[in-house]
Every structure is written in structure tokens, then in C-alpha cells.
Amino acid sequence: LEEARELLGDEDASVRTVACEFLVRRGDTESAPVIEAMMAELSDPVRVSLVMDQLGRLLGKDGAWESRLLAFVESDDEEVRNAALTQLGRDRGTAHLDLLLENLSHQSWSTRLACLKGLLAMRDRQVIGPLVEQMQEEYGRMKVEFADALFELTGQPFRTAQKSWLAWYEGEGKDSDVISLAELEKAREREELRRLKQVT
């Protein structure tokens, strides 16, 4: 284990990644501070997210780790902040729903995207209204991301039609629940059939 911990400081990023994965699989909680220090030196948002995920697997529901995640949300480092928001939504149920909703309108599009992913992972009906509302302010790629998330939660076929989502929510949507994964699969099949007909 000691040799693996030393490899966390290796110049080769792939070596550090393998060492991190090995220590996590071994459940070596003593390596957590070293892994966190390694994460602080990363600039690639994908790698930051992956390392934070590894820390989450290693420390699980540990209260101290949850406190660290909440501290990361306040970070000026966008990659760290975004990875923490995503993990809080994915791994902590609705415990931090208000925090993610608060940051859903963040000035940084990447932070809004991280909150969107975290809220989507909750699969809770409370997130549908705020997503529809924020979608009205989005455009380009982010509008598509919100459309995809809303489809995953509701199965509704409105895609990027913002006004249609708003009209649906103000009508029947407020009383709708999140669809099951089985219902989502059926909705995907319907959308694929519709797409093929349009192509034809």
C-alpha cells in the first residue's frame, strides 16, 4: 500500500490514476488525504471528477467527506466545485436539493450543467418545475441538456421547445411524478420510432 501511495505523486497521470484505483479497491482510507492533494493539482475537469468519484467510493457516507464536499462547492476552482455538486446530487439523495437548486442558475454554464446532472440523478418530482423554469433561460447546448434531462424524468416529447415544456408544466406537469426506468425505456422507443418516421 505504501508503494501505491507513493505512486500518487508520479509524473505520469495514468500511473497516478491506476494507483488511485488500486488504493480505493483496497479500501485504504489512509490514502484519502494524499488522493485529495493529488486532485488539487489537476486541471482537467474530467480527471478532477473521476478522482472525486474515487474519493466518494472510498469514503462513502462518511460525514467528514460530506462536509468536504460542501466546502468544495464554495471553491473558486470551477472543476472542483462542479464535481462536488454532481456528487452531492448523485450520492446523497435529496439531502442537498436546495443547494443544487440554488446553483442551477449559476453564471457559469458548466456549474449549471453539474447541478443539472446532480438533480437528474435524484429522480425526484421536486426538480421538474425548477428545470422547466431554468430551461426558459438556456440556449444552445445547455438548452439541449435541459431537454434531455426533462425527457429522462418525464418521458414528454417536447425536446427543445421551451414554451411547450412550460405550458405542459403549468397544466398537467405540476401533478406529474417522475417516470420509472421501465417507462423511460418505452418513451425512448417511441422517440426512436418517431425519429425514423421523420427520416423516412
Side-chain angles (χ1 to χ4, degrees):
L1 289 179
E2 191 59 40
E3 291 179 0
R5 289 176 195 151
E6 291 177 3
L7 290 175
L8 291 174
D10 196 276
E11 293 182 2
D12 189 327
S14 60
V15 172
R16 295 198 301 271
T17 299
V18 171
C20 179
E21 291 175 352
F22 172 78
L23 290 165
V24 169
R25 283 200 307 270
R26 293 295 297 270
D28 181 36
T29 54
E30 291 183 20
S31 66
V34 185
I35 294 174
E36 188 174 325
M38 179 190 76
M39 182 183 71
E41 298 176 0
L42 299 173
S43 57
D44 177 13
V46 175
R47 288 190 179 277
V48 170
S49 181
L50 289 173
V51 173
M52 193 172 290
D53 283 346
Q54 294 284 358
L55 281 167
R57 285 174 52 201
L58 181 62
L59 300 173
K61 300 296 183 182
D62 181 76
W65 172 239
E66 184 171 9
S67 296
R68 293 293 295 135
L69 286 172
L70 290 170
F72 288 145
V73 170
E74 303 300 322
S75 173
D76 291 331
D77 188 319
E78 194 169 281
E79 289 78 17
V80 171
R81 178 176 69 239
N82 295 346
L85 284 165
T86 301
Q87 192 167 132
L88 283 168
R90 190 194 61 212
D91 297 342
R92 305 284 166 169
T94 58
H96 300 288
L97 174 64
D98 290 344
L99 177 63
L100 269 71
L101 290 178
E102 178 185 331
N103 284 279
L104 188 61
S105 57
H106 197 281
Q107 62 181 3
S108 166
W109 70 266
S110 66
T111 298
R112 298 198 304 277
L113 180 58
C115 290
L116 177 63
K117 290 180 178 179
L119 291 167
L120 176 59
M122 291 179 188
R123 297 197 66 78
D124 189 282
R125 65 181 299 176
Q126 297 177 79
V127 311
I128 297 174
L131 294 190
V132 170
E133 182 179 345
Q134 181 59 34
M135 184 187 182
Q136 308 307 307
E137 307 298 323
E138 302 293 347
Y139 58 91
R141 174 193 168 185
M142 285 300 294
K143 182 167 70 170
V144 174
E145 293 284 353
F146 272 77
D148 289 344
L150 284 166
F151 175 77
E152 293 272 323
L153 295 171
T154 69
Q156 297 299 318
F158 306 126
R159 305 310 303 158
T160 56
Q162 291 154 302
K163 291 183 179 178
S164 296
W165 278 111
L166 189 59
W168 168 80
Y169 184 73
E170 290 178 345
E172 63 184 282
K174 289 182 179 179
D175 298 319
S176 296
D177 206 344
V178 171
I179 61 174
S180 68
L181 294 179
E183 290 171 323
L184 173 59
E185 189 57 37
K186 290 179 182 177
R188 285 173 176 160
E189 291 172 2
R190 288 195 299 270
E191 282 298 287
E192 180 61 14
L193 284 173
R194 182 179 309 179
R195 186 189 68 79
L196 290 174
K197 288 179 180 178
Q198 288 175 340
V199 170
T200 304

